[in-house]
Amino acid sequence: METIVFDVGETITRDDRYWASWADWLDVPRHTVSALVGAVVARGQDNAEALRLVRPGIDIAAEYRARETAGRGEYLDESDLYDDVRPALSALRALGVRVVVAGNQTSRAGELLRALDLPVDLVVTSGEWGVAKPQPEFFGRVLEVAQAAPERTVYVGDHPANDIFPAKRAGLGVAHVRRGPWGHLWADDPEVVAAADWRIDGLGQLVSIVADRP
């Protein structure tokens, strides 16, 4: 295990602020958006469908730009990180593992993540690459930046369709984290259980997994 690549949303960061900011922008109760996110997760749909249920026909990209123009765009700070992120990533690097963060996020999110000065070798997003999960090309790029063979690279994520299954098809090792709506709801799904090489409840478990390997 030479390189571990981490998804972003609900793997290293909480999505609370993200969905709350959309609810505020669309002028609906935060609980409404939260509940709708849960509903589309249960259906196996993309999270963005929650916004289309709130406002049918919404142009999400245009609304995103409007938010940025209004000074109400994306924001991340230390409070958005899960508590185990810095300790786990630091420990993995101390064990000689290359640590990469690569997820389906905007270019702006990439800038915000790099500003947090995480203990990683690289942060990159789909917005910067111009290709997103679950497309095979995304995982091709993952392998380029991993600088390791597929069988020596592990992708860590919560989302079966975006993370677990396509990473497995690309030949990577896979760790499914029981975290966030997707991670909890689908943790015991037979297909997820079969695909995941490891099923973890927190990132600290990865440190033990790496340390125990010959």
Side-chain angles (χ1 to χ4, degrees):
M1 195 182 298
E2 297 176 9
T3 301
I4 299 181
V5 185
F6 292 86
D7 171 44
V8 179
E10 293 301 343
T11 296
I12 66 169
T13 64
R14 297 178 177 86
D15 281 345
D16 309 48
R17 187 197 302 272
Y18 178 83
W19 293 112
S21 65
W22 271 112
D24 295 345
W25 177 255
L26 297 175
D27 195 27
V28 296
R30 292 180 176 184
H31 173 68
T32 298
V33 172
S34 180
L36 288 173
V37 170
V40 300
V41 166
R43 294 176 180 176
Q45 295 176 302
D46 185 80
N47 291 350
E49 291 303 315
L51 301 180
R52 297 186 178 98
L53 289 170
V54 171
R55 184 179 292 178
I58 186 174
D59 184 333
I60 294 175
E63 291 293 333
Y64 178 89
R65 293 191 294 270
R67 286 182 54 190
E68 292 288 336
T69 300
R72 296 172 61 183
E74 283 189 269
Y75 182 76
L76 286 171
D77 65 19
E78 193 72 19
S79 68
D80 295 297
L81 297 175
Y82 276 99
D83 292 341
D84 59 359
V85 170
R86 285 192 184 277
L89 271 52
S90 294
L92 288 169
R93 293 187 81 193
L95 289 169
V97 174
R98 177 172 170 79
V99 177
V100 175
V101 173
N104 272 1
Q105 309 293 133
T106 64
S107 298
R108 174 58 177 157
E111 296 171 0
L112 293 167
L113 286 165
R114 285 188 286 272
L116 293 177
D117 194 26
L118 295 168
V120 301
D121 295 284
L122 178 69
V123 173
V124 69
T125 68
S126 59
E128 294 164 331
W129 274 345
V131 62
K133 298 181 291 185
Q135 293 174 275
E137 292 81 2
F138 179 93
F139 290 94
R141 297 297 300 271
V142 164
L143 285 170
E144 289 176 10
V145 300
Q147 299 179 12
E151 64 272 15
R152 305 292 293 176
T153 303
V154 175
Y155 194 84
V156 183
D158 63 299
H159 195 305
N162 281 352
D163 302 329
I164 307 308
F165 301 146
K168 193 71 173 181
R169 286 194 295 269
L172 283 73
V174 176
H176 181 255
V177 59
R178 186 192 293 264
R179 183 173 276 181
W182 283 96
H184 283 286
L185 184 62
W186 298 96
D188 296 320
D189 178 82
E191 292 185 11
V192 173
V193 172
D197 297 285
W198 299 274
R199 297 161 65 217
I200 60 176
D201 295 315
L203 304 189
Q205 289 175 253
L206 292 169
V207 180
S208 299
I209 290 168
V210 172
D212 291 344
R213 290 178 70 84

